[in-house]
Amino acid sequence: KLSEDLNRQLESNLREEAATKIAADATVTIQANVTGTTAALAAAGLSFAFEIFDPKGASVYKGSADVASGTASTTADLKAASLWEQPADNSPTAALYTIVATLSDKGAVKDSVNVTFGIRKLKFDADKGFFLNDKHVKVKGMCNHQDFAGVGTA
């Protein structure tokens, strides 16, 4: 249960972070939640160790945080981060990072989870449009007007 909850929370936080704070130099906020009563969590002495590995498997960040009121968080600054881009031939060679989050209780490892994420650079320009990883991307959509709101559309 803890692994599933932690994995879901880390993935959610990373998606939000990736959508808002991406650049060649990236800032990643890692947040992990532990479920339990406040008194039990305070007495447990829980802490997380976080390690980030780059797409080649090299460690690029190590940090830790105590669990306070069920939450542990830290911020990692990644210099010259490899940007996640879909390869032209659709092969699965995207530049993805991995976070290893390890939960400990007074030094004894209780659980560990790996979360894979990518870093992208987003830019909106009022005159030139949308850029993903410094490449112009034409945004396409539709304009669906509702002339008869009570009838609906098919």
Side-chain angles (χ1 to χ4, degrees):
K1 173 95 172 111
L2 174 63
S3 292
E4 292 171 12
D5 290 344
L6 176 61
N7 195 23
R8 217 176 358 257
Q9 182 65 38
L10 284 171
E11 287 175 336
S12 173
N13 290 341
L14 289 171
R15 273 190 225 106
E16 290 172 17
E17 189 66 26
T20 58
K21 291 187 177 179
I22 298 177
D25 290 340
T27 300
V28 177
T29 299
I30 307 165
Q31 180 178 330
N33 294 328
V34 179
T35 305
T37 65
T38 304
L41 291 173
L46 298 174
S47 64
F48 275 96
F50 300 107
E51 187 167 8
I52 298 178
F53 296 91
D54 71 9
K56 295 180 182 176
S59 178
V60 294
Y61 173 81
K62 287 184 182 182
S64 62
D66 291 331
V67 175
S69 300
T71 301
S73 64
T74 187
T75 302
D77 290 322
L78 304 179
K79 302 295 180 198
S82 299
L83 298 178
W84 174 23
E85 224 175 318
Q86 183 65 37
D89 61 0
N90 290 323
S91 63
T93 57
L96 297 176
Y97 287 76
T98 302
I99 291 178
V100 178
T102 305
L103 176 66
S104 298
D105 181 359
K106 297 177 183 156
V109 173
K110 297 296 182 182
D111 201 357
S112 182
V113 64
N114 296 357
V115 178
T116 304
F117 69 100
I119 298 173
R120 290 186 171 178
K121 182 178 179 183
L122 309 172
K123 177 184 170 188
F124 287 95
D125 182 285
D127 297 320
K128 298 178 183 174
F130 174 65
F131 291 82
L132 177 63
N133 295 344
D134 292 327
K135 294 180 184 173
H136 184 259
V137 176
K138 188 169 186 169
V139 178
K140 297 179 182 180
M142 64 181 265
C143 184
N144 183 12
H145 294 279
Q146 183 65 296
D147 292 330
F148 302 102
V151 179
T153 57

